[in-house]
Amino acid sequence: MNPLAKRLLDQGLAANQRLAQAAGNGFDWMFRRNNLVKSGHTWFELVYDGDPMAVRYYELPGEDEIELNNGDSLPIEREQHRRPLVLVPPLGVTTETFDLLPQRSLVKYMAARGFKTYLIDWGKPKKQHAHLGMQDYADVMMSQALAEVRRHSGSEEVSLMGWCMGGLISLLYMGITEDPKVKNLITVASPIDLRGGGLATGVAQALNVPAQLIRRYTDFRLHLLDPSALSAPPWLTTLAFKLTDPLSSVTTYWDLVTRLWDREFVESYSTTSDYLNNMLLYPGGVVQDMAVKVAVDNKLASGEIDIGDKLARLNRIQCSMLVFAGETDSLVPPSIAERIMDIVTSNDKAFYVVPGGHMGVILGSRAQEAVWSEAADWLIQRDKSRPRKKTAAQRSDKGKKVAPPKKQRARKVKNIQKSE
């Protein structure tokens, strides 16, 4: 067979194989989509089961290594670090947030790095939970969850890591309780100063003008309404997340058609689509608190905010802090997230701007290297070593911007060294 004929035959066979693969994947997409969804597959133990909050403990029994997003393998560290890591997801999303894909699972990655890994599951709120407000989550449920983590792990000292509202709930918990046993706190794309720009600022400013007029000329007060009437339905939560990156919500349909032959891509697309299209109800009490105290009054930026009958003093938080913001995050841009660096009184704190939008910063293909790995390294360093005394020269460097590690590809970093 001459080379040209052989080449044409090989191309025809490859095209035929792709066509067969596309047909199989298309059939599954149309009629057996659950076979394509790969989220929530990591083994866990249910440590606490409440209404609506639960606590999960993740472990990797029977595995020697895990596969990473870039195709590499990571050996599992069986000697666990002394401080458990508690992952705090936002409200309105499912627990699959931190276990989205087998090769892109934050719970699996942190367990493999040697952390006793716990996840707070906020549950699936129903109408009877519509009255729940920020105090219920940040004070009551968060306290209960950490008590169960401490009981199960046998360690009083813990570390927290929260994305978006999960980070904000963690900050409010610390501001209310001033828990000295929370030694490390990591927030990712958590909103603080809603006058700092971005989509969240636009919404806050749109609410602010009519809110001030209503306050001045009427007796109407949003916080006096029945919170159950203010709950945000799941479709609205889905819309809010998709608006953070509206272009990709459209273009991925074309990607699916052109790459229907690629099983791995179809599984990834199906899993992400299933995650986005199955958001949860947002309790009206939380909507009420966020609209009045965070969006209109911007109290978080002042360092103190009243939550129910408690006062959360963010300006008294002293634990070690690591703060991430997404470089292209339109919902919570770096200018909004960075404000917490000026509020907390921690001597050991760092701020990183990393690749990704609001979801990509924690769930995207580059999050494993830019956020997960950096967070794990940062926690391990603080787990092994005792803080150093800070010199007068170091104390004078508060707020200094320094270059981040090259692998982070971050735009800027604010780093304040340990000082105890």
Side-chain angles (χ1 to χ4, degrees), residues 240-383:
F241 272 93
K242 286 187 174 182
L243 282 175
T244 65
D245 190 6
L247 185 60
S248 67
S249 299
V250 176
T251 57
T252 48
Y253 284 108
W254 175 247
D255 294 336
L256 177 64
V257 172
T258 57
R259 296 184 62 180
L260 195 58
W261 56 270
D262 185 343
R263 184 72 177 190
E264 185 176 340
F265 174 83
V266 175
E267 288 177 346
S268 176
Y269 176 89
S270 302
T271 301
T272 305
S273 177
D274 179 76
Y275 170 74
L276 280 171
N277 291 325
N278 286 280
M279 295 293 180
L280 307 176
L281 177 142
Y282 227 90
V286 175
V287 174
Q288 204 170 44
D289 288 336
M290 292 295 292
V292 176
K293 297 170 184 177
V294 178
V296 174
D297 295 336
N298 200 30
K299 286 189 174 183
L300 286 172
S302 71
E304 293 188 354
I305 180 172
D306 53 304
I307 300 294
D309 59 2
K310 300 289 183 68
L311 181 63
R313 296 181 175 91
L314 307 188
N315 51 20
R316 292 192 180 184
I317 295 176
Q318 297 182 356
C319 65
S320 297
M321 279 205 63
L322 178 60
V323 180
F324 290 100
E327 189 170 19
T328 56
D329 189 341
S330 59
L331 184 63
V332 183
S335 55
I336 286 182
E338 186 179 11
R339 173 64 178 145
I340 194 63
M341 293 290 289
D342 300 320
I343 293 174
V344 299
T345 55
S346 308
N347 290 313
D348 173 25
K349 51 188 174 182
F351 175 72
Y352 290 172
V353 176
V354 295
H358 191 65
M359 293 185 65
V361 70
I362 191 70
L363 302 176
S365 59
R366 292 181 288 179
Q368 207 165 75
E369 180 183 9
V371 176
W372 302 2
S373 177
E374 285 299 325
D377 291 345
W378 185 83
L379 288 169
I380 290 170
Q381 182 183 19
R382 280 145 188 80
D383 202 51

Side-chain angles (χ1 to χ4, degrees), residues 160-226:
L160 303 179
M161 181 176 182
W163 168 46
C164 189
M165 280 287 290
L168 179 54
I169 289 172
S170 301
L171 288 166
L172 293 174
Y173 167 80
M174 291 298 292
I176 292 170
T177 66
E178 299 182 38
D179 188 340
K181 298 299 184 180
V182 174
K183 294 299 182 180
N184 308 299
L185 173 56
I186 302 171
T187 65
V188 183
S190 295
I192 300 298
D193 182 5
L194 291 200
R195 302 295 183 267
L199 182 60
T201 293
V203 173
Q205 290 176 338
L207 291 173
N208 189 54
V209 174
Q212 297 303 329
L213 291 173
I214 290 170
R215 282 178 174 176
R216 183 171 182 178
Y217 296 110
T218 76
D219 294 328
F220 175 81
R221 297 294 181 269
L222 184 63
H223 67 271
L224 296 178
L225 292 179
D226 179 1

